[in-house]
Amino acid sequence: MSSLASPTPSPSSSASSSIIYSLTFLLSLFLLCLFAPQFFPLRKNQERQPPIPINKELDDLHLFELASNIELSHGVPKISHLRIANSHPKIAFLFLTNSDLVFAPLWQRFFQGNEHLFNVYIHADPFTKLSPPDWSIRANFIPAKKTHRGSPTLVNAARRLLANAIIDDSSNLYFALLSQHCIPLHSFKFIYGSLLGNPDSPSSYKAFGNQHRHKSYIEILSGEPHLFNRYVARGPRVMLPEISFNRFRIGSQFFVLAKRHSLLVLKERMLWRKFKLPCIDLYSCYPEEHYFPTLLSMEDPKGCSHYTLTRVNWSDSIDGHPHTYRSPEVSPKLLRQLRTSNSSHSYFFARKFAPDCLKPLLKIAEEAIFRD
């Protein structure tokens, strides 16, 4: 009785099977990388955020266009000499917040007596109930929209603040973005003089005509750890061709922008189409730390300081948040240390301070901090 022998696979059949197995494995890896964030835990305290709705995007674009057009029709070249003579260049302080401005009494002392030299604008998350700030200064609460950490909504919130400040007062020449956790480290006079010169000088109006020389103070960094992960957070080639990896930059969310750069930010459209896209890797996605440094580095690197004027302590950061100072840490010595910088300017502001720091900070303000 003869037995039936099993057929021996041909070499070509084995090769085909190997190719199929390899392709299946590679496809599985690709799908795992693509959809893993949907099945595994996301970054702590953050959920995957949907794209900005088209109708809200159009509202913002209309606002930004309006601000740009107003500046073109009422800009520096068309301001009358009489108007300049009766105006002072101003600093716009832009507060981006989703909680109470607990340090309002401290800022009140900072602003006191300088009402003709500044404006205040507040973007408060409309889904958070805020108490009115405890100060007597005039503050402009602008129409706000919900924001999420690590999402393009923070970029648009900052641009919304810039646009409203430009529309509101053409004398605003510098724009300082701050959070509710920020405090001033110097007197108003010191900060104003560092940016715009002596307001009491008869020639202070020259700041209107010298805007093309005004530098923006924004952190612009390259070669930082995990820079590549941030660049490919939306996918390996999503940022191309507009933004190659060697042109991608990161920096602090908080800046002091000159007016000409603020207008540039409002007019820009091409890079925004990339940065507003949703991210796959949420651990590396912080558009608010990427968009402004990348744009200004590409458009006017020599017109920017490449460093921030807001001091932050990253020595013991948790989940991407910097060190939070508590009341026992607050002292005149700490504030002097926070001022110290390796750049041409000392730090103007600092974060992040807990609400219980208000009382000791007010005491220090009474004694020294706002006398320089």
Side-chain angles (χ1 to χ4, degrees):
M1 183 176 179
S2 61
S3 59
L4 295 174
S6 301
T8 303
S10 65
S12 60
S13 175
S14 298
S16 299
S17 298
S18 298
I19 292 173
I20 292 172
Y21 293 147
S22 299
L23 290 174
T24 302
F25 176 73
L26 291 174
L27 179 61
S28 299
L29 282 179
F30 172 77
L31 293 174
L32 180 63
C33 293
L34 184 62
F35 296 107
Q38 299 181 15
F39 303 107
F40 295 102
L42 301 177
R43 190 166 62 212
K44 187 179 179 181
N45 297 327
Q46 178 168 334
E47 299 177 354
R48 175 179 290 276
Q49 303 302 336
I52 298 175
I54 294 296
N55 60 327
K56 294 185 177 181
E57 174 80 359
L58 291 176
D59 287 344
D60 284 336
L61 292 177
H62 176 72
L63 173 66
F64 304 156
E65 184 177 357
L66 178 62
S68 300
N69 289 339
I70 284 179
E71 183 59 22
L72 286 174
S73 59
H74 300 291
V76 173
K78 296 184 179 181
I79 294 179
S80 70
H81 291 290
L82 179 62
R83 188 175 184 279
I84 289 177
N86 289 280
S87 300
H88 283 88
K90 298 177 183 177
I91 301 174
F93 291 83
L94 317 176
F95 287 90
L96 179 56
T97 183
N98 59 3
S99 64
D100 288 342
L101 297 177
V102 295
F103 295 111
L106 183 69
W107 285 102
Q108 167 79 24
R109 284 197 55 81
F110 171 78
F111 289 127
Q112 193 171 353
N114 299 287
E115 286 75 11
H116 60 302
L117 299 175
F118 72 88
N119 286 301
V120 172
Y121 304 88
I122 301 172
H123 184 290
D125 191 317
F127 290 84
T128 304
K129 187 176 181 180
L130 272 66
S131 303
D134 185 16
W135 58 22
S136 61
I137 64 172
R138 174 179 172 267
N140 302 274
F141 278 83
I142 72 165
K145 298 177 183 178
K146 188 171 182 59
T147 56
H148 304 277
R149 178 184 172 223
S151 85
T153 59
L154 283 176
V155 176
N156 261 3
R159 297 204 294 174
R160 221 171 283 128
L161 281 162
L162 291 169
N164 277 275
I166 288 173
I167 292 170
D168 178 64
D169 192 338
S170 61
S171 296
N172 290 326
L173 300 191
Y174 265 108
F175 304 81
L177 184 66
L178 304 159
S179 81
Q180 70 272 36
H181 303 295
C182 288
I183 66 164
L185 294 175
H186 287 279
S187 67
F188 181 90
K189 183 178 180 180
F190 177 92
I191 292 176
Y192 186 96
S194 299
L195 295 174
L196 293 166
N198 183 358
D200 299 323
S201 169
S203 62
S204 64
Y205 69 88
K206 289 183 178 178
F208 288 104
N210 292 334
Q211 292 183 48
H212 63 286
R213 297 181 182 177
H214 291 171
K215 185 183 290 290
S216 283
Y217 298 90
I218 178 171
E219 190 172 52
I220 300 175
L221 303 174
S222 61
E224 295 297 297
H226 311 299
L227 183 68
F228 184 73
N229 291 342
R230 292 186 177 218
Y231 176 70
V232 299
R234 295 165 186 81
R237 299 182 62 82
V238 170
M239 305 302 281
L240 295 174
E242 290 86 355
I243 311 165
S244 60
F245 174 60
N246 64 357
R247 304 187 78 181
F248 183 75
R249 299 291 184 268
I250 63 173
S252 170
Q253 176 186 358
F254 301 98
F255 50 65
V256 178
L257 291 191
K259 190 170 191 175
R260 60 196 176 94
H261 290 142
S262 299
L263 287 166
L264 187 154
V265 163
L266 295 179
K267 294 174 183 176
E268 199 280 320
R269 298 288 181 271
M270 183 178 67
L271 300 191
W272 175 241
R273 288 198 292 268
K274 298 291 185 175
F275 281 100
K276 73 178 182 179
L277 295 174
C279 289
I280 297 171
D281 176 11
L282 297 182
Y283 287 90
S284 303
C285 188
Y286 295 94
E288 69 274 23
E289 297 179 3
H290 305 158
Y291 174 73
F292 296 105
T294 300
L295 170 60
L296 292 178
S297 175
M298 292 175 66
E299 295 293 334
D300 189 15
K302 293 183 179 179
C304 300
S305 66
H306 292 244
Y307 59 82
T308 179
L309 296 176
T310 301
R311 179 71 174 267
V312 185
N313 182 357
W314 291 103
S315 61
D316 58 349
S317 64
I318 300 174
D319 189 33
H321 293 284
H323 174 79
T324 300
Y325 293 99
R326 308 296 306 215
S327 178
E329 299 175 83
V330 176
S331 68
K333 181 180 179 180
L334 172 67
L335 299 188
R336 286 194 297 269
Q337 290 174 342
L338 292 177
R339 288 176 173 182
T340 305
S341 169
N342 294 326
S343 304
S344 57
H345 284 290
S346 67
Y347 287 105
F348 289 179
F349 315 105
R351 60 183 296 267
K352 182 178 183 181
F353 285 80
D356 65 357
C357 294
L358 176 61
K359 188 173 180 179
L361 285 169
L362 282 173
K363 183 178 180 181
I364 296 172
E366 292 283 348
E367 298 171 354
I369 186 174
F370 297 148
R371 295 182 183 175
D372 58 356

